[in-house]
Amino acid sequence: MENLGSHTQEPIVSPKTFILVWVLLMILTGFEIFAAYKGIPWKNELILALMLAQAYLVSFYFMHLRFEKFPLILSVVLGVLLTVGLLCALIIWDGIHIIQLSR
Amino acid sequence: MTVDKQVERHHKIPGFWQHYIFSTNHKVIGIQYLITAFASALIAAGMAMLIRLEIAWPEHSWPILGTLFPGAFPGGVMRPEVYAALFTMHGTLMVFFFLSAALVGGFGNFLIPLQIGADDMAFPFLNMLSYWVYLTGLLVMLSSFFFSPGGPASAGWTSYPPLSALKTAIAGSDWGQSFWIVGMAFFIISFTMGGLNFVTTVLSMRTRGMHMMRLPLTTWALFTTAAVGILAFPALTAAVVMLFLDRHFGTSFFLPSGLYVAGKLLPNKGGSPLLWQHLFWFLGHPEVYIVMLPAMGFTSDILSTFCRKPIFGYPAMVGSILAIGSLSFIVWGHHMFVSGMNPYLGLFFDITTLIIAVPSAIKTFNWMATLWEAKIQLRTPMLFALAFVSLFVTGGLSGIFLAMAPADIQLHDTYFVISHFHFIMAGASLFGIFAATNFWFPKMFGRMMNETLGKFHFWITFITYYCTFFPMMFLGLHGEMRRLYDPVQYYTMFKSLQPINVFISINAFALGAAQLVFVFNFFWSMLRGEKASANPWNANGLEWTLSSPLPYENWEGNSPEVQRWPYDYSYPGAAKDYLPQVVPEQAAAGNY
Amino acid sequence: MEEIRRMEPIEGIHGLPEQVSAEQFAPSAFSRNRKKLMMWIFIISDALLFGSFLAVYTFERFISPSWPDRWKIFEPGYLAVMTVVLLSSSTFMAVAVEGLKQGKNRRFGFFYAVTILCGIVFLAMQAHEWAHFIGLGARLNTNPWGVPLFSGLFFMITGFHGFHVLTGVLILSFIGVLKLMGKVSDETIELAGMYWSFVDLVWVFILAVIYLL
């Protein structure tokens, strides 16, 4: 059966890929910290974007999410991002109201 | 594919301790959960009786209670602190330790492997651990009655700060609240372990031919429930950790600046009690569906069985289960309309809450359509399932009032809310549990529950349930608040409503007493009931192809092959009016 | 070989005969490996715990009139080194697991040991950072910047993360010893690797939300 053998079919990742991912991560981290330290324009948006890029690299390459089947990828990514995103967005919406009242 | 397999048992059944106490067998764990949950329900029901006694006859002296509990009832009169502790613990025990545990821990463990054709859960040891952690949590909760100076937690089952975050706020805020936090932490751990197990089991251990769209709705509901639990409980974990830090380490996550307690300004600064409400209800609302969804699943299966008709609109039923599960994450704010939350956010939650009525209505109409022109067999499980639909509609319609912010501002924290959630969450789930217990009892213990006692129990419970909780709507519409220790003395405008309270209390006592009939029936039938055949209800699920009581190993290695969905009742051309899931197409006309 | 490994959970529990065949498992995207599946679900649940904490952090920050300037408290260079150590350790772990899959035991052993070492270094650096932070006068309930929520949240969230790193180091060491004794399957090591990368993943978010934003 197709799904049974898939464990062995999992492609072998060469160390080169990992080194590439590592270099990318280092560049992203460096840029992120630099941006935050220097306070460049659009810094917050940039940091969030870099954060997501890093998270993508770590989860998809190091945690092998890339080699999982699509429904699992979808459940993991949506399950986490959507739930946390909703919680964040809605309580921060309320937080803005609280700070407006206290001003 | 014969139904009764004569397979030689080559697995030794373990000894007493491993079989009944520290068992990794999903059936034993399910029954352990169920019985523990029933025990905690009885305790919590006893608390409800005391609460009703106090409301109907406020500050009346009951000498017998004074003799039994001299500390809590000095001179036979309940102390106000005890009243607060009672409604807090009643809510906590019922919602978490009874309803969630019985539905998810009890029936989830018992039914999921049977209905998907697996031999056991994916991780049996984790499963056992989950039960023992749950039991520890329950014992911690109960021990707060004995070991905490100041009594158990008294800030309500929702434990809103500052009442719960300040040790000096009320008597129960001292040690009792810490016990509550620890007990809840145990419960969360237990539920997470169970949830991991359930989701993994349903996804990866289904037998041959058991596609997701051939799962019984019970399993669908339990699966969604477990997934919802996994996604929702972490928020409460975070909240509970922060509450603990607030209480014991002086942080002020939930405590705003400028709080005065006993004339002294507190040093706390900057937090917001609203945050707790957000986090608590982010779990709390999905929790409502955690206890609703399995009961919906049971009802679907039981209605279909006793109507001898396929369930109407199976794909829509599955879709509405999933829709309810996902929508439950974006409606939590309707518990907070009067909390000072952002009114625009209130509008958002208002709309999403009304949207959730759509999948709920789909389910109700599908149940109606299943009942339409059916040859209904009014056995005890069917009666309870029908009552579930009735309670669900009553509670659901009252929920539409509460979903609308303008109406909720009037009705919030009144008896209307109490009535609403005792119908929809507590009551409907309770009736679901009774239905499921009656229905799957032969599988659990190999004997039938007594039908006469069951019907007696049903009618008393059903009538007194409505008589207890329906009048509360009128109390609520008149503005009587929940959690009032003495509604007469301090709120003279409620004096004229007091006869309603007396009526409610008398019915509540009858309701409580009727549950003793169930307890008696449960244990008497377990020991002396009529022996059950393998398939006493002529049902289709995989669990009914096994003997009653179930063998120690479900399929002993010979997993069944599923040929059809579980709702082929009155199949055209078939000889009998039911077709178990294992019957292939060509055999349908012959044997069945 | 593959068959046996696939069946392992059942065998271990019931001692079932080998007749359990491939067809018994429904074709599903999720059905390939149940331990891994459970690990994913656990990771989702744990990620949501940290997600809740970070949501709380953002909320509390929004309702506070002011928030301390992080660069007056933390060194960007030190922070960069901490991040590099943790991200590298995650890379090493991935390389080690890959080596294990290919049967290159020496490569596995080396990178596995380096992974654990990196974890310990990270913990030491975090302890030093805490000491620095406490030295500045920060406590759970008070701090010199006048926003007690900040230090409380900082200690709670980094503390929780540090606790995860610590458990990760302990789990990896324990499994490493078992591996030396030949008592652990490759799959378990892979799962431990997933957990370790997850700890790293959380740090990515903590870094951005608490230190940088």
Side-chain angles (χ1 to χ4, degrees):
Chain A
M1 212 167 201
E2 186 267 328
N3 62 311
L4 258 179
S6 65
H7 196 72
T8 41
Q9 284 163 11
E10 190 169 287
I12 299 222
V13 189
S14 75
K16 263 188 203 154
T17 318
F18 286 130
I19 292 169
L20 189 71
V21 172
W22 182 79
V23 170
L24 270 175
L25 279 172
M26 292 302 111
I27 294 171
L28 290 175
T29 310
F31 201 58
E32 204 180 359
I33 294 179
F34 174 81
Y37 188 65
K38 291 288 174 206
I40 60 170
W42 294 89
K43 136 184 125 78
N44 290 351
E45 290 78 3
L46 187 72
I47 291 172
L48 286 175
L50 291 174
M51 172 186 88
L52 288 178
Q54 281 179 325
Y56 163 76
L57 288 174
V58 171
S59 55
F60 273 63
Y61 286 86
F62 293 165
M63 295 166 86
H64 293 105
L65 192 57
R66 202 163 81 95
F67 307 119
E68 300 290 344
K69 294 203 173 165
F70 183 68
L72 183 77
I73 300 177
L74 198 72
S75 351
V76 171
V77 174
L78 274 190
V80 174
L81 287 187
L82 213 65
T83 317
V84 176
L86 276 169
L87 180 65
C88 263
L90 294 176
I91 71 176
I92 288 164
W93 192 355
D94 196 20
I96 294 169
H97 178 64
I98 293 176
I99 193 74
Q100 278 169 352
L101 286 181
S102 66
R103 280 217 176 105
Chain B
M1 192 54 60
T2 53
V3 173
D4 284 11
K5 287 199 196 90
Q6 294 298 316
V7 184
E8 193 194 335
R9 297 230 187 146
H10 36 247
H11 311 291
K12 243 184 80 190
I13 293 175
F16 176 80
W17 282 95
Q18 253 192 315
H19 191 172
Y20 292 108
I21 311 295
F22 295 105
S23 176
T24 54
N25 190 303
H26 74 98
K27 299 179 283 287
V28 180
I29 296 172
I31 293 169
Q32 282 176 330
Y33 254 119
L34 199 60
I35 291 180
T36 318
F38 276 139
S40 81
L42 277 180
I43 298 169
M47 293 176 191
M49 300 298 110
L50 293 176
I51 294 169
R52 281 316 314 179
L53 198 66
E54 168 61 32
I55 298 172
W57 298 280
E59 304 192 57
H60 187 272
S61 174
W62 306 93
I64 183 157
L65 288 172
T67 326
L68 281 175
F69 311 104
F73 294 79
V77 182
M78 186 189 282
R79 287 194 292 121
E81 296 83 7
V82 174
Y83 178 76
L86 284 177
F87 69 65
T88 303
M89 295 308 277
H90 169 74
T92 309
L93 287 179
M94 281 293 195
V95 173
F96 294 107
F97 291 90
F98 169 50
L99 290 175
S100 311
L103 287 161
V104 184
F107 289 107
N109 267 316
F110 189 81
L111 292 176
I112 285 179
L114 291 173
Q115 293 197 331
I116 66 172
D119 278 304
D120 207 321
M121 283 286 175
F123 304 98
F125 182 75
L126 201 65
N127 210 8
M128 178 187 86
L129 217 57
S130 148
Y131 171 73
W132 288 101
V133 173
Y134 156 71
L135 186 64
T136 316
L138 178 62
L139 291 178
V140 169
M141 277 288 174
L142 291 177
S143 66
S144 66
F145 277 96
F146 305 102
F147 296 116
S148 64
S154 312
W157 79 280
T158 50
S159 286
Y160 281 0
L163 210 51
S164 60
L166 295 171
K167 280 185 169 183
T168 47
I170 37 170
S173 300
D174 197 2
W175 275 98
Q177 195 66 42
S178 302
F179 272 82
W180 188 89
I181 290 173
V182 176
M184 280 313 296
F186 275 113
F187 182 81
I188 294 169
I189 294 169
S190 150
F191 199 91
T192 309
M193 289 197 285
L196 286 178
N197 226 337
F198 290 3
V199 174
T200 315
T201 307
V202 174
L203 286 180
S204 70
M205 293 192 54
R206 299 191 308 279
T207 188
R208 273 171 296 175
M210 183 59 98
H211 312 302
M212 287 302 267
M213 291 315 275
R214 279 180 179 173
L215 287 176
L217 286 168
T218 301
T219 304
W220 258 113
L222 287 165
F223 167 69
T224 315
T225 299
V228 167
I230 282 176
L231 294 177
F233 267 103
L236 185 66
T237 318
V240 160
V241 167
M242 293 195 299
L243 188 62
F244 194 79
L245 290 175
D246 269 8
R247 293 171 51 75
H248 295 278
F249 295 94
T251 56
S252 31
F253 299 128
F254 301 130
L255 294 168
S257 324
L259 273 180
Y260 280 90
V261 170
K264 269 193 295 183
L265 179 66
L266 296 180
N268 299 83
K269 202 179 157 192
S272 166
L274 264 186
L275 180 60
W276 168 271
Q277 299 194 16
H278 276 300
L279 291 176
F280 182 85
W281 288 116
F282 186 77
L283 158 86
H285 201 79
E287 169 66 31
V288 170
Y289 289 100
I290 285 172
V291 302
M292 278 308 299
L293 284 173
M296 290 177 175
F298 302 156
T299 304
S300 310
D301 278 3
I302 292 170
L303 283 184
S304 172
T305 307
F306 291 101
C307 288
R308 313 312 295 167
K309 269 178 72 182
I311 190 82
F312 188 88
Y314 176 84
M317 290 299 243
V318 172
S320 56
I321 287 176
L322 293 174
I324 290 173
S326 12
L327 281 173
S328 71
F329 284 94
I330 47 169
V331 297
W332 80 83
H334 64 227
H335 296 269
M336 300 168 56
F337 284 144
V338 296
S339 66
M341 182 179 65
N342 189 340
Y344 295 107
L345 196 55
L347 180 67
F348 172 83
F349 283 124
D350 196 333
I351 292 166
T352 50
T353 308
L354 289 172
I355 290 174
I356 216 168
V358 174
S360 310
I362 290 176
K363 293 197 83 75
T364 311
F365 287 127
N366 281 352
W367 288 324
M368 297 290 174
T370 309
L371 290 165
W372 183 256
E373 289 199 330
K375 295 185 219 75
I376 298 173
Q377 302 172 339
L378 282 180
R379 308 293 293 271
T380 316
M382 182 62 173
L383 289 171
F384 277 111
L386 289 171
F388 170 91
V389 179
S390 159
L391 263 66
F392 183 69
V393 171
T394 313
L397 291 179
S398 60
I400 291 175
F401 289 72
L402 294 170
M404 292 186 224
D408 185 71
I409 289 168
Q410 158 72 11
L411 296 171
H412 189 82
D413 265 355
T414 64
Y415 270 95
F416 194 88
V417 178
I418 306 284
S419 170
H420 160 70
F421 75 74
H422 274 93
F423 273 115
I424 196 149
M425 178 181 89
S429 313
L430 179 73
F431 278 73
I433 289 175
F434 285 143
T437 313
N438 276 286
F439 190 64
W440 279 289
F441 194 85
K443 278 294 142 205
M444 291 180 182
F445 303 108
R447 291 169 188 274
M448 307 293 288
M449 275 186 101
N450 188 297
E451 194 74 15
T452 320
L453 280 177
K455 282 189 174 144
F456 179 69
H457 169 231
F458 167 77
W459 284 111
I460 303 284
T461 309
F462 185 63
I463 292 167
T464 53
Y465 208 94
Y466 262 99
C467 289
T468 304
F469 293 105
F470 205 77
M472 286 187 186
M473 293 205 184
F474 300 110
L475 292 180
L477 287 170
H478 282 88
E480 182 157 345
M481 291 85 83
R482 68 196 287 198
R483 296 173 177 169
L484 285 185
Y485 168 66
D486 188 338
V488 181
Q489 193 182 341
Y490 305 107
Y491 301 91
T492 42
M493 66 279 199
F494 298 147
K495 213 162 197 167
S496 59
L497 298 173
Q498 199 54 15
I500 302 184
N501 267 327
V502 174
F503 175 78
I504 290 174
S505 286
I506 291 170
N507 277 294
F509 298 144
L511 178 61
Q515 304 323 304
L516 298 177
V517 177
F518 174 76
V519 174
F520 171 76
N521 190 4
F522 190 88
F523 287 106
W524 188 81
S525 304
M526 192 198 290
L527 302 170
R528 293 269 182 282
E530 177 199 340
K531 280 232 163 40
S533 63
N535 193 356
W537 314 117
N538 292 342
N540 283 344
L542 282 182
E543 71 268 31
W544 303 105
T545 59
L546 293 165
S547 64
S548 298
L550 293 162
Y552 185 72
E553 299 278 346
N554 290 350
W555 273 276
E556 291 160 348
N558 305 315
S559 303
E561 186 168 351
V562 172
Q563 310 285 349
R564 55 182 71 247
W565 73 329
Y567 298 108
D568 273 336
Y569 293 105
S570 309
Y571 192 67
K576 290 186 187 169
D577 67 349
Y578 67 107
L579 282 174
Q581 281 187 280
V582 292
V583 178
E585 195 57 41
Q586 59 271 29
N591 275 331
Y592 282 90
Chain C
M1 167 63 199
E2 201 43 50
E3 280 287 311
I4 292 165
R5 207 163 103 183
R6 184 73 180 75
M7 292 306 120
E8 194 181 56
I10 302 183
E11 249 181 20
I13 299 145
H14 300 305
L16 280 187
E18 299 76 26
Q19 44 171 294
V20 185
S21 66
E23 292 82 12
Q24 286 202 309
F25 293 88
S28 149
F30 296 96
S31 68
R32 67 187 226 180
N33 186 326
R34 78 180 70 134
K35 276 190 184 166
K36 205 171 197 174
L37 181 60
M38 192 201 74
M39 196 66 197
W40 273 116
I41 300 168
F42 171 75
I43 283 174
I44 291 177
S45 154
D46 216 9
L48 290 175
L49 177 63
F50 280 105
S52 310
F53 277 137
L54 291 178
V56 165
Y57 178 92
T58 323
F59 176 85
E60 302 275 33
R61 186 174 169 178
F62 264 96
I63 65 168
S64 297
S66 68
W67 206 246
D69 180 6
R70 261 61 46 74
W71 297 126
K72 292 194 176 127
I73 308 168
F74 307 112
E75 279 287 320
Y78 195 79
L79 201 57
V81 175
M82 272 174 91
T83 310
V84 167
V85 167
L86 201 59
L87 286 173
S88 309
S89 104
S90 198
T91 318
F92 295 144
M93 189 70 208
V95 174
V97 168
E98 213 53 47
L100 188 71
K101 273 188 200 160
Q102 295 168 33
K104 293 175 179 156
N105 277 336
R106 281 175 61 91
R107 185 198 281 181
F108 163 73
F110 175 74
F111 282 107
Y112 194 77
V114 177
T115 306
I116 297 177
L117 200 69
C118 281
I120 295 170
V121 170
F122 179 84
L123 279 175
M125 289 185 80
Q126 197 173 31
H128 182 255
E129 194 188 34
W130 272 40
H132 165 73
F133 196 52
I134 294 169
L136 289 175
R139 300 288 182 274
L140 264 174
N141 54 356
T142 176
N143 61 39
W145 306 283
V147 191
L149 283 174
F150 173 67
S151 53
L153 286 163
F154 177 85
F155 281 123
M156 181 177 71
I157 298 174
T158 56
F160 249 80
H161 177 255
F163 176 72
H164 275 72
V165 179
L166 182 67
T167 22
V169 166
L170 291 177
I171 290 172
L172 287 183
S173 317
F174 183 64
I175 289 178
V177 173
L178 286 182
K179 172 76 182 164
L180 283 180
M181 293 156 70
K183 278 185 181 168
V184 69
S185 69
D186 293 2
E187 193 193 7
T188 312
I189 294 175
E190 204 186 325
L191 296 185
M194 273 172 72
Y195 177 76
W196 188 252
S197 304
F198 166 68
V199 170
D200 189 11
L201 186 67
V202 171
W203 178 255
V204 165
F205 286 92
I206 289 180
L207 173 77
V209 175
I210 295 190
Y211 291 90
L212 301 183
L213 280 181

